[in-house]
Amino acid sequence: DNSDTLTIHQRIKIKKQYDQFLEENIENSLTEISETIKSYHKNIMLSIAVKPDFEAAKKLYYQNWQKWLSENLCDYVVLMNYNSENNIFYKNLEKVKLLNKAKKLVIGIATYNQNNNAVIERINNILNENFVGYNLFSFNDLRKKANLIKMLKKVNFNINVTN
């Protein structure tokens, strides 16, 4: 008896409703956090780490960060652009440049999956664009890379490290 089995159409409808539920709950939580911060601490800026490809971020991770920026739910986003392959890293940058939101985007760069020269090259490229800046990931990896820290200090890069 297949009377209790859902049709493909029903499954698709349920999946779509579930996805919408997740996206709305993330956005509602962000709205609450943002309003709380602004009501108590007007000088605190709220940043959110997100997937760099805005289409995949929304579809797969329920991160509608374009909307969050447009609605001022956060001050800026940190794109976790951690791919070691140049073509993917720079493709992500080209896509987000088209959004005209560079002044609200910090570009995350991984240090754990590439050599120091590649990190420095990526920083230089980011600084030559209109992005807010860059963020290096991860602190634990950077602790092991004294030479990279020396290189960054030598060229006077502002160092922003996250765990």
Side-chain angles (χ1 to χ4, degrees):
D1 179 23
N2 288 338
S3 62
D4 61 350
T5 304
L6 296 173
T7 66
I8 291 175
H9 177 67
Q10 290 169 321
R11 288 173 193 232
I12 291 170
K13 184 178 178 182
I14 290 170
K15 171 76 168 113
K16 188 175 180 180
Q17 289 172 334
Y18 181 67
D19 289 349
Q20 184 177 353
F21 168 80
L22 291 175
E23 186 177 325
E24 286 174 1
N25 275 287
I26 290 171
E27 186 173 319
N28 290 341
S29 295
L30 178 57
T31 300
E32 191 173 319
I33 291 166
S34 178
E35 289 173 354
T36 301
I37 288 172
K38 288 176 184 167
S39 69
Y40 291 105
H41 306 284
K42 291 179 182 16
N43 295 330
I44 294 178
M45 296 184 77
L46 177 60
S47 66
I48 301 168
V50 297
K51 296 292 185 178
D53 181 318
F54 55 87
E55 292 159 334
K58 183 177 185 309
K59 184 176 181 178
L60 301 174
Y61 304 98
Y62 315 104
Q63 299 175 346
N64 193 351
W65 56 261
Q66 284 187 83
K67 182 178 178 186
W68 302 343
L69 287 173
S70 297
E71 294 182 359
N72 294 315
L73 297 180
C74 59
D75 297 295
Y76 59 93
V77 296
V78 179
L79 301 179
M80 298 183 293
N81 200 14
Y82 300 154
N83 201 296
S84 63
E85 294 182 38
N86 275 339
N87 61 332
I88 295 172
F89 181 88
Y90 289 110
K91 180 182 173 187
N92 287 334
L93 292 185
E94 291 302 314
K95 279 181 83 172
V96 297
K97 279 197 274 186
L98 298 174
L99 300 175
N100 294 320
K101 296 186 184 301
K103 292 289 186 196
K104 292 189 171 210
L105 302 178
V106 174
I107 309 302
I109 302 171
T111 60
Y112 61 85
N113 61 359
Q114 56 200 314
N115 66 44
N116 294 350
N117 290 330
V119 172
I120 296 294
E121 178 184 318
R122 288 178 180 200
I123 291 171
N124 279 321
N125 282 315
I126 289 165
L127 294 176
N128 288 329
E129 300 292 339
N130 288 324
F131 297 111
V132 172
Y134 66 93
N135 185 292
L136 300 177
F137 182 83
S138 78
F139 176 77
N140 289 335
D141 183 66
L142 280 167
R143 286 192 317 186
K144 301 174 199 169
K145 292 188 173 179
N147 288 339
L148 177 57
I149 299 297
K150 286 178 189 173
M151 291 170 72
L152 292 169
K153 287 180 180 178
K154 190 175 187 178
V155 291
N156 287 325
F157 288 142
N158 291 324
I159 300 174
N160 184 6
V161 182
T162 58
N163 280 327

